[in-house]
Amino acid sequence: MTDLPVFPEGFVFGAATASYQIEGAAAEDGRGPSIWDTYSHTPGRTHEGDTGDVACDHYHRYPEDVALLRDLGVDSYRFSIAWPRVQPTGQGPANQKGLDFYSRLVDELLEAGIEPAATLYHWDLPQALEDRGGWRVRETAERFGEYAAIVAGHLADRVPRWITLNEPWCSAFLGYSVGRHAPGAQEGTGALAAAHHLLVGHGLAMKALRAAGVREAGITLNLDRNVPATDTLADREAVVRADTQHNLVWTQPLLAGRYPTTEEDTWGELITRQDFRREGDLDLIGQPLDFLGVNYYRPIVVADAPHREPDPARRVATDNRYEERPFPDVRRTAMGWPVVPESFTDLLTALKDRYGDALPPIHITENGTAEHDEPAADGAVHDTDRVAYLHSHLTALREALDAGVDVRGYYVWSLLDNFEWALGYAKRFGVVRVDYDTQERTPKDSYHWYRRLIAAHRG
Ligand code: IFM
């Protein structure tokens, strides 16, 4: 174990999941439909028509899953709360049975000595709200603030760490521009409005969490490390547009109190046509964060390119005059993602360089990999590629700490193999294998590796 990275005392080791990806019980105890139920049940949207109807059946098997977390030795477990379990139509009184489920989960975690870390929104918007405009409209942000108040009112006394939104980039841009996530829209201004209303919703949820007296509240972003394909000015400028779309659209309002100065160059007429911003929004969005959650998986190579759609009236928000290129000469995961651990260090040090003292402490709220792992003849899962990925990325994270970045915790994605959104059950990210026919859980070699790493940090 001598080559394993060592983290400071008090560093939080955790594991993460999300409601729609693991819970199942899609129509149980009053849960209403979410946009992901609609999307996954629409033919052609997901791999082999997979849905989250059953997923890992965590709704019924959560005691077994908490026992796996306890044996893993994690300090904290990051899960998300399904809004349509708590408010089946996204508004109005709480569905007590939905709240009771999360209350039971939290109690089970606390009994196991594990700190719960709750995400309020990991993409399962109540379908009824999408029918009224979804994140394109401000009303959804207002309903989100009310939902946050209900949940915090029930759980704030037992949940110390709260995350308002998970990866709003995916909600806004995969959901309303690329169309590869629910609700599957392909729009220009609609996606930019969604991005803004997600930030407003975050601000309203922060106020609700503060009012409930929670210990720590923050937001999780999937920041990208965009690197230019060549050193030409054109490619370097393309990186600025990619950074604006992926990163600055969130970090500037959240951490610098302003919208990105590069937004007009990135979105042109789409952003100048917007009328969704209101006076006071930046103050709401820019409330102090106790921590910033960062999810990291891979870097992206960016090259200058023309607009894919020449007509601005028909252009989607992710058509920003750049294209992705393959990362040369590195291993790729089962997602096709390049494995470049040093990019993880670079992402974090660049964040520190840009925001300095305005950067709150960081929690890595997701990091991990999908691999082609299969059980061996003895039933064990020797996921050596995942072990190598985790080892190299935790080492890269340690280097970021050495470079002065204040990182307080790390959550592996994911505890369980689960529903990987449009890719269904074809991609496995878990440190625990799930047999979807029997629901049997098998800890993989990576689970045992992570367990040893955590144990090595205990006195
Ligand atoms: O599975 C997802 C998760 O829901 C959000 N972050 C990225 C993961 C892997 O794609």
Side-chain angles (χ1 to χ4, degrees), residues 23-32 53 57 59-60 84-85 95 97-98:
E23 285 178 0
E28 213 163 309
D29 289 340
R31 178 186 178 279
D53 288 0
D57 195 29
Y59 192 77
H60 301 112
R85 273 196 205 289
N95 169 34
K97 285 186 172 174

Side-chain angles (χ1 to χ4, degrees), residues 17-18 21 78 122-123 166-167 170 181 220 222 295-297 335 337 366-370 413-414 418-421 423 427 429:
T17 64
Q21 294 182 272
R78 174 179 175 234
H122 198 126
W123 309 349
N166 178 71
E167 302 184 355
C170 297
H181 273 195
T220 280
N222 55 324
N295 294 352
Y296 172 83
Y297 290 89
M335 297 288 281
W337 293 349
E366 288 180 27
N367 173 244
T369 180
W413 183 269
S414 179
N418 59 50
F419 177 76
E420 178 54 21
W421 307 110
L423 301 173
K427 304 293 175 203
F429 273 92

Side-chain angles (χ1 to χ4, degrees), residues 50-69:
D50 288 346
T51 74
D53 288 0
V54 178
C56 307
D57 195 29
H58 171 78
Y59 192 77
H60 301 112
R61 292 168 197 263
Y62 71 90
E64 185 186 348
D65 295 335
V66 172
L68 282 164
L69 288 161

Side-chain angles (χ1 to χ4, degrees), residues 83-359:
W83 187 351
R85 273 196 205 289
V86 175
Q87 288 178 299
T89 60
Q91 58 187 327
N95 169 34
Q96 192 58 43
K97 285 186 172 174
L99 284 172
D100 288 348
F101 167 67
Y102 295 107
S103 196
R104 291 195 297 277
L105 172 64
V106 163
D107 286 345
E108 190 87 11
L109 288 164
L110 292 173
E111 263 171 47
I114 299 165
E115 273 196 350
T119 303
L120 286 168
Y121 185 74
H122 198 126
W123 309 349
D124 33 10
L125 183 71
Q127 180 62 43
L129 291 183
E130 178 57 29
D131 295 342
R132 297 162 71 101
W135 288 108
R136 299 173 194 86
V137 299
R138 200 175 185 94
E139 187 202 339
T140 297
E142 287 159 2
R143 297 292 85 78
F144 184 62
E146 292 161 11
Y147 153 71
I150 292 174
V151 176
H154 280 76
L155 298 175
D157 56 334
R158 286 167 290 157
V159 176
R161 185 167 302 124
W162 291 81
I163 294 161
T164 55
L165 303 175
N166 178 71
E167 302 184 355
W169 182 83
C170 297
S171 302
F173 293 110
L174 289 182
Y176 291 92
S177 172
V178 181
R180 280 293 285 152
H181 273 195
Q186 294 183 307
E187 299 174 16
T189 306
L192 294 176
H196 185 68
H197 294 138
L198 281 151
L199 284 168
V200 171
H202 156 79
L204 293 170
M206 285 295 287
K207 282 178 87 166
L209 293 170
R210 294 282 182 233
V214 307
R215 193 183 79 191
E216 284 178 44
I219 184 171
T220 280
L221 305 175
N222 55 324
L223 298 175
D224 268 343
R225 178 73 185 159
N226 297 303
V227 291
T230 70
D231 200 32
T232 58
L233 180 63
D235 283 353
R236 283 187 280 121
E237 285 177 350
V239 164
V240 175
R241 292 192 293 279
D243 273 344
T244 305
Q245 185 222 104
H246 278 272
N247 304 334
L248 302 178
V249 66
W250 316 110
T251 56
Q252 286 297 91
L254 287 165
L255 303 176
R258 54 177 177 265
Y259 301 110
T261 52
T262 47
E263 63 182 10
E264 269 194 58
D265 186 47
T266 304
W267 284 297
E269 295 180 32
L270 290 185
I271 199 85
T272 47
R273 271 196 267 131
Q274 50 80 19
D275 57 0
F276 40 78
R277 290 176 180 166
R278 293 206 189 148
E279 182 123 12
D281 281 358
L282 282 172
D283 292 338
L284 183 64
I285 296 165
Q287 291 166 73
L289 299 167
D290 298 318
F291 65 90
L292 177 67
V294 173
N295 294 352
Y296 172 83
Y297 290 89
R298 52 140 178 189
I300 294 180
V301 178
V302 165
D304 182 46
H307 278 300
R308 296 188 297 280
E309 169 55 63
D311 178 0
R314 293 154 52 100
R315 191 175 292 150
V316 298
T318 41
D319 185 351
N320 308 126
R321 288 178 291 133
Y322 73 87
E323 63 189 16
E324 287 184 33
R325 294 275 172 82
F327 203 101
D329 306 328
V330 293
R331 189 181 80 76
R332 290 173 175 278
T333 71
M335 297 288 281
W337 293 349
V339 179
V340 190
E342 54 275 23
S343 280
F344 192 15
T345 318
D346 294 346
L347 173 82
L348 294 168
T349 53
L351 205 52
K352 173 82 182 157
D353 289 347
R354 180 184 281 269
Y355 291 106
D357 292 342
L359 184 68

